[in-house]
Amino acid sequence: MSSQQAVIEDISNTWGNQIEVLEDEFFAGVKVPLQILPELFRKIRDEHGFNYLANLTAVDHQDRFELVYHIYSIPDNRKLMVKADVDHDAPSAPSAVSIWPTADWQEREVFDLMGIRFEGHPNLKRILLPDEFEGHPLRKDFQMKG
Amino acid sequence: MLQTEQLTINIGPQHPSAHGGLHVEAVLDGEVVVDAIPHVGYVHRSVEKIAESRTYAQFVPYTARLDYLGTHLPVIGYVQAVEKLAGIEVPERAEYIRVIMGELSRIASHQLFIGSLAIDLGATTGLLYCMRDRERIMDMFEMTSGQRLLAAYMRIGGIAEDLPPEFLPAVRSFVRDIPKMIKEYQGLLYGNEIFQARLKGIGKLSAQDAIAYGVTGPNLRACGVSYDIRKAEPYGIYDRFDFEIPVGSNGDAWDRLMVRNEEIIQSGRIIEQALDQLPEGEIRAKVPRVFKPEKGKSVYHRIEGAKGELGYYIVSDGGEKPYRLHVRAPSFVNLMALPLVSRGGLVQDIIVNIATLDPVLGEADR
Amino acid sequence: MAVDLNKENNDVEVLQKNNILVTTLEKIWDWGRSWSFWPLNYGCNCCPIEMLAASAARFDIARYGYEVFRASPRQADLIIVAGPVTLKMKPILERVWAQMPEPKWVLAMGNCATSGGPFKDGYSILPGCDTVVPVDVYVPGCPPRPEALFHGLLELKKKVASGQYTHRR
């Protein structure tokens, strides 16, 4: 879609070679450094109409975490995937709650199960597990005591 | 002057209308709701971690236990995501049967929605009528897969077994009876003055708030946003069917009920078209028993579940088990709207709002 | 004389030796209780949907006398633990069980309540609700059909009517 290309081009032009355009056959996307996420989100929401954050999740690649965002524009029917690497030893990322309020519980779930802290989140507490649970189960080094 | 203070009461998780274990912490000033904070996690069954120790085919029954009311829909979403990941093409007959089963599941889920809304408001008989009609669909599922509720009828590459001869007449007769069924619900429930007074104008959600909070499905369409994944990003063979998307105007509880009511009728239309177009042929593609998708590939596949956008994000590491599987559950995200619609209302409207947002806790907690 | 009421096999004879009026009345109470359990509205997950179907018109739990589902644990005497017991739900189940007055019974419905079910190797499920409450009848299935639930209820009825149940003062 030509307008989909225009979005990715705009992002590449703004941040230059910090952006890696992903070769994914199902979902057009970009890989970005962590610190530009709030700016990027604000840009695509305000200038390109991406008003719906569908999915926010994280993957543990053992040497790093990878945050994955799937964002849609409902009025123009476009989609964009944004990925960002997070440091494995002190995992921390900027929160997207101020841009899309739907990130509230989704970030809490990532914190609960993966242990990534989100700076700027209004209420970063565990959501699915009891508060006194120790550990972050979806990490690859979590041992399940069956 | 009277000295008043705010009272915090807990609704659930053991509660007749907890919808499976929802805990709402309601902060009240008299009868007016200051805040209604939902707490989830009482049914967290660590499905995503279990997925990492099951092969792709072994995980299929677990998906049925996510949104257990929309029986086949979450399973269809998962097998389609895996088929996308592994590049498997599904035969035509299987695609049509999946559409029929998926839309029957949607009708069953909405029937239970109407029934549980009725019983939450005190109209117990409404539940009995809806359950009676739902039993017809349960029978049809049992004919094909042997299971009433949690049928893992779908397989990666197609479906498990071909349809028995008594299935098609049963579906046709059910679809023919849908208008009569809706008329019965109208006479029994919707025309009732008390029912309308408890739903109209209650729990208003604006379209902007709904999109910002990620609310999808019939809840979003009740706010006036015409967004249905079956039309916006068609998956499977949904682009071959002619159906409408019912849209509300006020975003209140009444509209959420009416949108689902109309969706039952539209699903009936889709099923009828699928029955007319159903071809003969294979029901399952040739898939190796243990297959390994390419390393490093990932896919996000979303379907229009009964509650909203149900998405699967699967990352493969080249092995026979997924490296990471994430379920984007519509009920989990829809529940974020509960405080929004309840603040400023009365305490009894919290129950109406929970019932009309239609959360399924099995899906919300995974 | 000290009587060990927890000894299952011969407590009836011990009581009979001591007080025949009370034990006869106990038998009548047990017969009455077995005909009308008051189940508690408790359940999370897929099994309560089959419990709901069992209480609806087609399967009709009312013909056995068990249709009076109570919302408050203080008014119920049977808890049908339908669904898994997660870490977060464990204190809730314990509290609800403690609030139910004696005599009370537990029916574990479904594979998750019996043993943890398909989610047994997860990190957040207890291996069966019998780690929290004493179970009288187990009904396996995923989910068990309403007829299976009725079979379980009738087995419980036999157990209660004969005076042998796990939790007895």
Side-chain angles (χ1 to χ4, degrees), chain B residues 151-182:
Chain B
Y153 183 55
M154 307 294 151
R155 296 284 183 271
I156 297 173
I159 55 177
E161 273 179 26
D162 211 340
L163 303 171
E166 57 268 18
F167 180 75
L168 290 172
V171 181
R172 281 211 189 266
S173 113
F174 178 75
V175 170
R176 257 198 316 267
D177 287 339
I178 286 179
K180 198 173 73 171
M181 192 174 84
I182 300 289

Side-chain angles (χ1 to χ4, degrees), chain C residues 79-124:
Chain C
I79 179 166
I80 302 180
V81 181
V85 184
T86 59
L87 292 174
K88 223 170 174 178
M89 200 66 182
K90 177 168 176 240
I92 311 287
L93 179 58
E94 284 170 349
R95 195 188 302 177
V96 161
W97 175 247
Q99 286 177 347
M100 286 169 69
E102 298 275 343
K104 50 190 178 180
W105 302 278
V106 180
L107 186 146
M109 179 181 179
N111 287 350
C112 293
T114 308
S115 68
F119 308 103
K120 197 181 163 106
D121 53 343
Y123 50 79
S124 65

Side-chain angles (χ1 to χ4, degrees), chain B residues 165-223:
Chain B
E166 57 268 18
F167 180 75
L168 290 172
V171 181
R172 281 211 189 266
S173 113
F174 178 75
V175 170
R176 257 198 316 267
D177 287 339
I178 286 179
K180 198 173 73 171
M181 192 174 84
I182 300 289
K183 198 149 171 275
E184 202 174 29
Y185 297 158
Q186 262 162 359
L188 187 67
L189 290 170
Y190 308 159
N192 184 306
E193 208 178 305
I194 301 176
F195 198 75
Q196 287 184 4
R198 289 232 36 201
L199 291 177
K200 284 192 173 162
I202 304 292
K204 279 204 164 119
L205 182 63
S206 72
Q208 205 176 1
D209 275 340
I211 299 176
Y213 277 82
V215 174
T216 47
N219 297 326
L220 178 65
R221 295 193 275 282
C223 304

Side-chain angles (χ1 to χ4, degrees), chain B residues 90-154:
Chain B
V90 179
E92 287 279 302
R93 186 173 166 85
E95 291 274 25
Y96 277 95
I97 295 176
R98 279 184 183 175
V99 166
I100 297 174
M101 294 309 218
E103 295 305 314
L104 280 174
S105 308
R106 196 186 306 275
I107 297 177
S109 173
H110 289 335
Q111 277 174 329
L112 190 66
F113 164 83
I114 299 172
S116 67
L117 176 64
I119 197 172
D120 282 348
L121 295 182
T124 317
T125 316
L127 177 72
L128 297 179
Y129 278 79
C130 293
M131 294 301 287
R132 177 201 66 184
D133 295 324
R134 199 162 172 264
E135 289 293 330
R136 286 179 75 172
I137 300 185
M138 299 280 108
D139 278 343
M140 286 186 250
F141 290 160
E142 198 181 347
M143 269 183 226
T144 49
S145 66
Q147 247 278 27
R148 285 158 45 92
L149 190 66
L150 301 171
Y153 183 55
M154 307 294 151

Side-chain angles (χ1 to χ4, degrees), chain A residues 60-79:
Chain A
D60 180 2
H61 286 288
Q62 286 163 11
D63 54 345
R64 63 194 163 98
F65 288 113
E66 192 182 44
L67 276 174
V68 184
Y69 298 79
H70 293 98
I71 313 162
Y72 289 81
S73 161
I74 289 185
D76 305 319
N77 204 7
R78 278 186 298 210
K79 57 188 186 181

Side-chain angles (χ1 to χ4, degrees), chain C residues 110-161:
Chain C
N111 287 350
C112 293
T114 308
S115 68
F119 308 103
K120 197 181 163 106
D121 53 343
Y123 50 79
S124 65
I125 293 274
L126 295 180
C129 69
D130 49 11
T131 53
V132 182
V133 290
V135 176
D136 292 287
V137 175
Y138 296 88
V139 181
C142 191
R145 290 185 61 103
E147 290 98 324
L149 177 63
F150 291 157
H151 182 203
L153 283 168
L154 292 174
E155 289 294 321
L156 181 64
K157 176 175 165 184
K158 273 190 244 173
K159 200 172 179 184
V160 170

